[in-house]
Amino acid sequence: MITTVITGGSRGIGAAAVEQFCAAGHRVFFLYEKNHERAQAVAQKTGATPICCDVTDSEAVKAAFQKIGNIDNLICNAGICHYGLMSMMSQEEWDRIFAVNVGGIYHCVNAAMPSFLEKHRGSIVTVSSMWGRVGASCEAAYSATKGAVIALSKALAKELGPSGIRVNCVAPGVILTDMCAQLDPEILEEMAQDTPVGRNGTPQDVAKAMEFLCNADFITGHVLNVDGGYVI
């Protein structure tokens, strides 16, 4: 059975990915940090196994992956955002968003590597954003981390390809998750109208793209926009 590990799997895109891969017959483990009730709800709904783990803690990540054992797919979905002027951000807030959005990938990829190298095969999918491609006002730190995710994914694709490990990235657009809860409904509607397909995205849209990349054996180093054509 194919084993897939998903970080940030208790909510939003991560929860949709857990459901998507479970429905495809995978043995799914998902990492979450705090919300035990939400994680248990996802586990009961899908049959996936939750593991409480802070992806910024290298030792906790190593312990989690040792518990899981053999891994075929790694979905690096854990992420946080920050909205506001960069000049108003604290050093602590700046460091934290990089620790989660970029450092979390570093820890998880390194923890999964022994399993991948043993089989000479594996698929890694990272999660960037359309703002990692073009930047967003009042989301400088978030945009910077998501741009770093794209660069990291392309570099790892070159570095790990000879070992049979593929690395791809999804770049979601406006996806109707908790991250959008702070936005005015009128702004969301305007963004939907500015999207060529005429709507904002759902977590399921992104989860389907993740599964596609995991199954696409001759695709690596690719950044797949899942934004309805918002950024072309």
Side-chain angles (χ1 to χ4, degrees), residues 205-229:
D205 290 323
V206 184
K208 290 175 183 177
M210 292 170 169
E211 185 188 8
F212 164 75
L213 289 172
C214 283
N215 292 329
D217 289 341
F218 200 57
I219 297 178
T220 194
H222 185 67
V223 181
L224 178 58
N225 289 355
V226 190
D227 61 4

Side-chain angles (χ1 to χ4, degrees), residues 64-217:
F65 278 74
Q66 287 173 356
K67 182 184 302 184
I68 294 167
N70 177 68
I71 300 169
D72 299 288
N73 302 313
L74 171 61
I75 311 296
C76 295
N77 171 73
I80 58 175
C81 65
H82 181 279
Y83 187 82
L85 296 173
M86 191 180 77
S87 60
M88 301 297 290
M89 270 188 95
S90 68
Q91 181 72 52
E92 183 177 319
E93 289 171 328
W94 178 271
D95 291 344
R96 175 64 180 170
I97 195 170
F98 271 89
V100 175
N101 294 4
V102 184
I105 296 176
Y106 166 78
H107 296 312
C108 291
V109 168
N110 281 340
M113 200 56 59
S115 179
F116 288 155
L117 293 175
E118 183 179 352
K119 298 190 302 288
H120 200 78
R121 181 178 176 83
S123 173
I124 299 169
V125 176
T126 62
V127 180
S128 179
S129 165
M130 66 180 182
W131 301 137
R133 285 183 170 276
V134 297
S137 175
C138 294
E139 293 190 69
Y142 181 77
S143 299
T145 63
K146 292 305 184 177
V149 170
I150 290 175
L152 175 60
S153 301
K154 291 185 176 184
L156 285 177
K158 294 179 179 180
E159 184 175 316
L160 301 178
S163 297
I165 303 164
R166 296 181 301 106
V167 186
N168 291 291
C169 180
V170 292
V174 181
I175 306 298
L176 299 176
T177 66
D178 292 347
M179 280 191 179
C180 290
Q182 63 185 335
L183 296 178
D184 188 293
E186 291 185 4
I187 294 177
L188 287 174
E189 180 57 31
E190 289 176 5
M191 297 186 82
Q193 292 176 4
D194 289 340
T195 301
V197 300
R199 68 173 176 87
N200 293 319
T202 67
Q204 290 73 25
D205 290 323
V206 184
K208 290 175 183 177
M210 292 170 169
E211 185 188 8
F212 164 75
L213 289 172
C214 283
N215 292 329
D217 289 341

